[in-house]
Amino acid sequence: MKITALLVLKCHPEGSDPVILANASDVSHFGYFQRPSVREFICFVGRTVAKRTPPDQRQSVQHEEYNVHCYNRNGLCALGLMDEHYPVRSAFSLLNQVVDEYQKNFGETWRTAQADNTQPWPYLTEALTKFQDPAEADKLLKIQRELDETKIILHKTIDSVLARGEKLDSLVEKSSDLSAASQMFYKQAKKTNQCCTIL
């Protein structure tokens, strides 16, 4: 799962090309001489998808092994170029946070922008790094991951839980909770299962 680029754009209602307000990309996994072309292509795809995303709508577009997720909030668009394995819910959660943060930092100044901004926005660069793990963007995914880790711990076998080298066989023999029939059943089941063990 990888985020390749995050963009913030101003979308014009009259249909002219969107203006890039902020842009952060990680093209390190591309060849050195391909990187400038990849950055240009990211801007091209970003403008194209943002232009075609209606106000107050979310949209996902697949291009080869990438998904382009776009969220247009009243003309202010956040767009992410991610690989196809990045969860959609986490992607839109991240884009929502980016729009919130942009409005918190810059207010309504974006409405007067006429040309692309070439100055980096540190928050967007940090978000590009921080949210490579989808669980950072989506708290539900983070909780699910923690539950999965807990489940792994609970799946330990009874043998690993027994302390100081105690064997289950000796505990069965010493147990006052098991009747003689239950102890006999355990021993027979163990003997029967031994013939089928493949080493």
Side-chain angles (χ1 to χ4, degrees), residues 82-193:
M82 299 150 184
D83 71 8
E84 59 192 347
H85 303 293
Y86 201 90
V88 174
R89 188 170 128 155
S90 298
F92 284 114
S93 179
L94 164 60
L95 297 179
N96 195 41
Q97 288 177 40
V98 167
V99 170
D100 288 344
E101 195 65 30
Y102 191 88
Q103 287 185 317
K104 189 170 98 178
N105 285 313
F106 301 104
E108 296 295 312
T109 58
W110 63 272
R111 292 191 184 277
T112 59
Q114 298 298 319
D116 290 348
N117 182 9
T118 56
Q119 298 298 315
W121 180 32
Y123 172 81
L124 203 58
T125 308
E126 291 168 16
L128 184 67
T129 306
K130 178 182 178 186
F131 295 114
Q132 292 295 335
D133 178 11
E136 291 296 323
D138 187 0
K139 298 301 178 200
L140 234 52
L141 187 65
K142 190 173 190 173
I143 292 168
Q144 182 63 44
R145 188 176 289 168
E146 289 171 3
L147 285 173
D148 289 343
E149 289 171 4
T150 305
K151 227 187 285 184
I152 291 167
I153 293 168
L154 292 176
H155 280 101
K156 286 184 176 179
T157 63
I158 188 77
D159 293 329
S160 66
V161 174
L162 297 175
R164 297 179 309 274
E166 292 176 308
K167 295 288 181 204
L168 189 57
D169 296 341
S170 63
L171 288 177
V172 167
E173 288 175 14
K174 294 176 188 174
S175 174
S176 59
D177 293 336
L178 295 174
S179 67
S182 296
Q183 288 179 359
M184 186 59 116
F185 174 78
Y186 172 78
K187 289 177 185 175
Q188 279 299 113
K190 188 169 182 181
K191 190 190 301 182
T192 305
N193 286 337

Side-chain angles (χ1 to χ4, degrees), residues 44-115:
F44 168 74
V45 169
R47 283 188 216 274
T48 304
V49 173
K51 185 176 184 178
R52 288 162 176 77
T53 303
D56 300 314
Q57 296 287 316
R58 291 176 167 88
Q59 173 171 257
S60 294
V61 178
Q62 186 172 7
H63 177 70
E64 295 174 7
E65 70 268 13
Y66 292 98
N67 284 337
V68 181
H69 302 288
C70 185
Y71 172 44
N72 183 341
R73 185 191 293 168
N74 247 354
L76 182 63
C77 289
L79 186 133
L81 182 76
M82 299 150 184
D83 71 8
E84 59 192 347
H85 303 293
Y86 201 90
V88 174
R89 188 170 128 155
S90 298
F92 284 114
S93 179
L94 164 60
L95 297 179
N96 195 41
Q97 288 177 40
V98 167
V99 170
D100 288 344
E101 195 65 30
Y102 191 88
Q103 287 185 317
K104 189 170 98 178
N105 285 313
F106 301 104
E108 296 295 312
T109 58
W110 63 272
R111 292 191 184 277
T112 59
Q114 298 298 319

